[in-house]
């Protein structure tokens, strides 16, 4: 039941639609018939959380079970949080209005390191003890999954368990185990010990960590009953994996206000900076029939007239043109538009664009990632200058005039001339427009260059690389800004301070939990939002804990160092990542998974392209 004070508070806050629930297709159940309640807490505002596909999949999967009830909670924005605190209103779930502290499970998705303080702040607003050790009962089990769960150690003290890999199956198995433990009267510690036996479940309290004198990790030792390594879960058959036929339709505009349907999982490319490309191996496609069925069902149930075909690299679907033709059999008749959010330079074609009728609205976006061919080889982008120029010329011939290109700076082996090459590439794209005799008449070209600071991430070939210092990044940002460029080119770059903190927590260990505690004392949260980020306070928190953040972010690590995530197994051999790192420093590229198997280790899951290559399917 919603708090009585809520109505008058909603008149005082920005976008009250964030906090009221009641959306079409939100799930309401009779509490008397529910045995396990799960609060899915997204550690950012409603508009971002409601755009996330993972929450839609798990919300539907959990609520399919009659005796489970999954509800949603989002981080209240600063104004709402202030009113909640002043009026004694705890964090509540949108479906029932009940306090989150009344739930069996409190689940978070770890999408981004700078959301960690929002997680702790949401627990604080809910009135739930932050530390797992302070929650001794079989209740308020705090769990998390998502990409950042691949190194959960900076949050180890706060969570009871983490889900590694695909969550559609393992999450339900743990909830079912919890249900049985409640019936048996089993305590929390026995529940956690049993949960640790389920593939894909990591219980940090069941592992002791020791350190060398220099601060590096010496070992992780499992306690009795815990596996030595925890292997991620992988769903092989994407056609039979759960996907919702409806989802709560937001009451206000959200970031991605459309139907999104996952067309494949994983990536064949092996870009050496890209964590998701390794975490989600093996590469697995959905069939045309399954995608068509899911798209049609969601449009019919939600009323949306735009579909985004979503994945890490949608244009790598082996039957993409056939898929688009199949969808057009009904989307054109029903006036539903299609968009592809992830296009690659090397498989862009007029045939592809002719079948996508919404992309003109916002221009075209590509990610060369590096300006020079040398750097593109280092990161294994496998895109040439010729392919890029061929692609933009196709775009200009087809009528596009706005091109956005994404890059990174601070990549391994990068020099200032590689940074300057980013701007030079933008100039070349402008020149290509004016040299193209079939370009749109009477229009000018707009080329936007956006450069983010590289962050080394676990389970990538660059996990050993020390991030550039902030001084080095500032120098490279200045080089971007000062390199001469056409007036048709705009240059943007992202802050070095947030990237530095991201690198600290991406490669951090369990000692960072103390820093998180201190950050809570200082009231830090919404760190991913520029107007809320307080770098000086973060540095004060590290100093108070006697930890040097540069030890985590800027230190290049030897190949034999024990990482805080080495006891977690994502199916990628460490030896393969070492070899890829060495190839990067030699400027050698590696073929994609369809061209040649690189024996990365993902074949252990016996699914997707790994099996197809071995059985001659592709």
């Amino acid at each position: 039941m919603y708090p009585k004070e809520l109505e008058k508070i909603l008149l005082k806050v920005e976008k009250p639609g964030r906090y009221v629930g009641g959306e079409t297709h939100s799930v309401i159940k009779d509490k008397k018939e529910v045995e396990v309640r799960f609060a899915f807490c997204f550690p950012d505002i409603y508009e971002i959380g409601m755009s996330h596909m993972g929450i839609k999949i798990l919300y539907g999967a959990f609520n399919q079970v009659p005796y489970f009830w999954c509800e949603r909670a989002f981080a209240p924005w600063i104004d709402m949080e202030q009113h909640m605190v002043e009026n004694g209103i705890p964090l509540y779930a949108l479906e029932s209005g009940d306090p989150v502290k009344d739930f069996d499970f409190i689940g978070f998705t770890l999408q981004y390191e700078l959301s960690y303080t929002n997680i702790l702040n949401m627990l604080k607003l809910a009135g739930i003890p932050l530390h797992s050790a302070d929650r001794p009962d079989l209740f308020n089990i705090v769990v998390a999954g998502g990409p950042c769960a691949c190194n959960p150690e900076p949050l180890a003290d706060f969570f009871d368990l983490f889900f590694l890999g695909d969550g559609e199956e393992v999450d339900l198995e743990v909830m079912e185990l919890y249900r049985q433990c409640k019936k048996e009267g089993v305590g929390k510690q026995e529940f956690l010990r049993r949960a640790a036996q389920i593939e894909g479940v990591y219980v940090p309290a069941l592992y002791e960590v020791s350190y060398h004198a220099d601060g590096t990790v010496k070992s992780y030792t499992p306690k009795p009953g815990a596996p030595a390594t925890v292997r991620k879960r992988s769903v092989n058959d994407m056609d039979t994996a759960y996907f919702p036929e409806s989802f709560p339709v937001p009451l206000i505009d959200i970031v991605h206000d459309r139907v999104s349907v996952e067309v494949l999982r994983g990536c064949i490319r092996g870009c050496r900076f890209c964590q998701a490309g390794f975490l989600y191996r093996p590469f697995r496609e959905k069939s045309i029939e399954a995608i068509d069925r899911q798209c049609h069902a969601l449009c019919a149930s939600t009323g949306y007239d735009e579909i985004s075909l979503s994945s890490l690299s949608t244009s790598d679907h082996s039957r993409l043109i056939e898929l688009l033709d199949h969808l057009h059999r009904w989307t054109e008749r029903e006036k539903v538009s299609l968009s592809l959010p992830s296009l690659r330079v090397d498989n862009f074609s007029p045939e592809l664009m002719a079948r996508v009728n919404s992309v003109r609205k916002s221009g075209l976006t590509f990610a060369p990632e590096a300006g020079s061919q040398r750097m593109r080889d280092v990161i294994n982008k496998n895109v040439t200058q010729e392919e890029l120029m061929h692609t933009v010329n196709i775009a200009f011939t087809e009528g596009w005039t706005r091109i956005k290109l994404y890059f990174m700076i601070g990549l391994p082996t990068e020099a200032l001339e590689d940074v300057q090459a980013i701007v030079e590439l933008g100039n070349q794209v402008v020149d290509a427009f004016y040299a193209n005799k079939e370009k749109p008449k009477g229009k000018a070209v707009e080329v936007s260059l956006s450069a983010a600071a590289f962050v080394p991430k676990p389970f990538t070939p660059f996990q050993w690389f020390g991030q550039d210092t902030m001084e080095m990044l500032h120098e490279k940002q200045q080089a971007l800004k000062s390199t001469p460029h056409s007036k048709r080119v705009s240059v943007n770059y992202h802050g070095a301070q947030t990237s530095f903190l991201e690198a600290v927590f991406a490669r951090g260990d369990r000692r960072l939990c103390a820093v998180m505690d201190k950050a809570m004392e200082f009231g830090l949260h919404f760190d991913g939002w520029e107007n809320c980020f307080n770098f000086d306070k973060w540095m004060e928190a590290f100093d108070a804990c006697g930890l040097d953040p540069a030890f985590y972010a800027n230190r290049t690590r030897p190949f034999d160092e024990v990482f805080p995530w080495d006891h977690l197994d994502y199916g990628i051999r460490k030896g393969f990542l070492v070899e890829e790192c060495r190839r990067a420093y030699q400027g050698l590229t590696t073929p994609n998974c369809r061209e040649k198997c690189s024996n990365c280790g993902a074949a252990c899951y016996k699914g997707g392209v790994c099996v197809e290559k071995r059985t001659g399917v592709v």
Side-chain angles (χ1 to χ4, degrees):
M1 182 177 293
Y2 285 91
K4 294 178 180 178
E5 301 84 0
L6 187 60
E7 187 172 340
K8 62 182 180 182
I9 289 174
L10 291 176
L11 298 174
K12 303 176 182 178
V13 300
E14 178 188 3
K15 298 184 180 180
R18 292 167 169 166
Y19 310 111
V20 296
E23 305 99 326
T24 300
H25 300 310
S26 59
V27 177
I28 305 298
K29 295 190 177 185
D30 184 342
K31 280 186 273 189
K32 294 192 295 291
E33 297 177 1
V34 172
E35 299 179 44
V36 180
R37 300 185 70 183
F38 190 109
F40 196 127
C41 300
F42 194 93
D44 214 315
I45 60 172
Y46 179 92
E47 296 95 312
I48 294 176
M50 286 293 287
S51 301
H52 182 242
M53 187 182 296
I55 192 172
K56 296 172 183 174
I57 293 174
L58 295 179
Y59 182 85
F62 294 175
N63 282 321
Q64 270 200 136
V65 182
Y67 46 82
F68 294 162
W69 188 11
C70 178
E71 303 183 48
R72 297 160 297 139
F74 301 92
W77 186 240
I78 306 298
D79 57 348
M80 181 64 173
E81 178 185 341
Q82 181 179 344
H83 286 296
M84 289 171 67
V85 172
E86 290 175 352
N87 289 272
I89 298 175
L91 185 70
Y92 58 88
L94 292 185
E95 279 73 10
S96 64
D98 290 344
V100 167
K101 66 183 177 183
D102 290 351
F103 285 68
D104 299 287
F105 283 92
I106 297 93
F108 292 91
T109 178
L110 307 180
Q111 295 293 314
Y112 179 42
E113 288 84 359
L114 294 191
S115 71
Y116 289 177
T117 48
N118 274 15
I119 292 171
L120 299 190
N121 193 56
M122 290 176 77
L123 290 175
K124 181 180 176 182
L125 289 173
I128 296 170
L130 298 188
H131 286 249
S132 173
D134 296 329
R135 303 187 299 268
D137 300 326
L138 188 64
F139 190 63
N140 285 169
I141 306 297
V142 180
V143 303
C148 292
C150 72
N151 177 25
E153 291 304 288
L155 294 171
D157 289 356
F158 309 105
F159 281 83
D160 296 306
L161 61 85
F162 295 91
F163 299 114
L164 310 186
D166 298 335
E168 293 96 326
E169 298 170 350
V170 64
D171 295 31
L172 288 168
E173 291 173 18
V174 169
M175 291 169 70
E176 188 62 46
L177 173 65
Y178 177 87
R179 175 175 173 249
Q180 295 302 319
C181 287
K182 277 180 68 175
K183 288 181 176 179
E184 295 175 25
V186 166
K188 177 181 177 181
Q189 295 310 311
E190 176 61 16
F191 162 71
L192 292 177
R193 190 196 66 78
R194 294 185 191 180
Q197 313 311 309
I198 299 174
E199 184 177 68
V201 176
Y202 172 52
V203 179
L206 296 182
Y207 295 81
E208 296 282 357
V209 59
S210 60
Y211 300 91
H212 293 291
D214 63 359
T216 59
V217 173
K218 182 178 181 180
S219 66
Y220 273 84
T221 306
K223 295 179 181 179
T229 59
V230 182
R231 188 186 187 196
K232 78 162 186 179
R233 283 292 281 271
S234 181
V235 174
N236 279 343
D237 189 345
M238 296 302 296
D239 282 4
T240 59
Y242 176 83
F243 198 80
E245 293 188 354
S246 67
F247 55 77
V249 180
L251 299 174
I252 61 175
D253 289 339
I254 61 174
V255 175
H256 300 301
D257 209 5
R258 62 182 76 96
V259 162
S260 291
V261 172
E262 186 182 29
V263 299
L264 59 88
R265 193 169 293 180
C267 185
I268 61 173
R269 297 291 173 171
C271 298
R272 291 169 180 143
F273 60 85
C274 180
Q275 185 182 53
F278 293 99
L279 291 185
Y280 294 107
R281 290 189 178 197
F283 177 86
R284 295 146 285 163
E285 291 185 351
K286 278 184 189 173
S287 70
I288 288 175
E289 294 73 24
I291 297 167
D292 180 73
R293 182 176 66 253
Q294 292 166 3
C295 288
H296 211 165
L298 282 175
C299 286
S301 68
T302 63
Y304 278 110
D305 61 1
E306 182 180 353
I307 300 169
S308 174
L309 301 177
S310 181
S311 74
L312 292 177
S313 184
T314 298
S315 52
D316 279 329
H317 195 287
S318 61
R319 300 169 65 192
L320 182 60
I321 298 297
E322 187 181 351
L323 167 63
L324 294 172
D325 286 342
H326 199 85
L327 291 170
H328 279 152
R329 294 188 308 179
W330 61 271
T331 56
E332 291 181 345
R333 181 180 68 251
E334 298 181 19
K335 295 182 171 51
V336 173
S337 63
L338 299 173
S339 64
L340 304 179
S342 49
L343 296 171
R344 277 186 60 91
V345 166
D346 55 352
N347 53 17
F348 181 89
S349 67
E351 294 78 20
L352 178 59
M353 285 301 97
R355 290 164 171 83
V356 182
N357 55 11
S358 68
V359 76
R360 289 177 190 264
K361 296 177 183 176
S362 57
L364 287 171
T365 300
F366 299 101
E369 309 293 2
S372 67
Q373 190 59 50
R374 186 191 75 82
M375 282 307 307
R376 286 194 291 273
D377 291 343
V378 167
I379 65 177
N380 203 46
K381 188 66 183 177
N382 281 322
V383 168
T384 65
Q385 181 87 1
E386 293 73 25
E387 287 171 327
L388 178 62
M389 302 316 295
H390 175 70
T391 291
V392 297
N393 271 306
I394 290 175
F396 297 148
T397 299
E398 293 295 315
W400 281 274
T401 59
R402 295 164 60 196
I403 304 289
K404 187 167 188 176
L405 302 176
Y406 282 114
F407 300 89
M408 284 181 290
I409 57 174
L411 289 160
T413 78
E414 182 182 70
L416 281 180
E417 51 264 33
D418 297 306
V419 176
Q420 293 164 340
I422 293 173
V423 181
E424 292 162 6
L425 185 59
N427 290 335
Q428 290 166 10
V429 172
V430 171
D431 293 341
F433 177 82
Y434 289 110
N436 190 317
K437 296 179 181 179
E438 299 179 44
K439 67 180 180 292
K441 306 301 182 188
K443 293 185 177 180
V445 67
E446 296 177 30
V447 178
S448 172
L449 311 178
S450 181
F454 166 70
V455 177
K457 297 275 186 155
F459 295 102
T460 69
F462 291 159
Q463 63 184 350
W464 291 275
F465 180 72
Q467 186 185 45
D468 278 1
T469 64
M470 282 185 286
E471 292 74 20
M472 295 164 68
L473 289 172
H474 286 143
E475 181 183 6
K476 291 178 178 180
Q477 289 171 343
Q478 185 59 38
L480 273 177
K481 187 176 178 181
S482 61
T483 300
H485 56 81
S486 163
K487 65 180 181 180
R488 309 310 311 174
V489 173
S490 62
V491 181
N492 305 289
Y493 49 80
H494 304 293
Q497 291 181 339
T498 52
S499 298
F500 172 70
L501 197 63
E502 189 180 342
V504 171
F505 284 99
R507 298 197 301 172
D509 56 45
R510 202 170 285 195
R511 292 172 298 183
L512 291 178
C513 293
V515 181
M516 294 296 300
D517 278 324
K518 189 60 65 173
M520 282 296 95
E521 286 183 33
F522 292 162
L524 298 176
H525 60 307
F526 280 111
D527 297 299
W529 295 73
E530 186 177 351
N531 55 333
C532 297
F533 182 64
N534 189 328
F535 185 72
D536 291 339
K537 276 293 182 184
W538 270 108
M539 293 305 100
E540 188 179 335
F542 280 101
D543 187 58
C545 296
L547 292 173
D548 179 8
F551 174 82
Y552 299 104
N554 305 131
R555 183 173 60 87
T556 294
R557 308 184 184 191
F559 286 136
D560 61 353
E561 180 172 328
V562 175
F563 286 136
W565 53 90
D566 273 352
H567 58 305
L568 309 180
D569 179 7
Y570 273 75
I572 306 298
R573 295 186 302 107
K574 196 171 183 180
F576 164 77
L577 296 176
V578 169
E579 179 59 28
E580 279 295 287
C581 184
R582 288 176 170 148
R583 289 177 67 83
Y585 279 89
Q586 297 168 36
L588 300 175
T589 60
T590 298
N592 72 56
C593 298
R594 281 207 178 105
E595 293 173 340
K596 181 183 178 183
C597 178
S598 298
N599 193 27
C600 72
C604 68
Y605 288 102
K606 298 179 171 58
V609 72
C610 300
V611 170
E612 293 161 2
K613 289 294 291 183
R614 287 161 170 75
T615 56
V617 176
V618 294

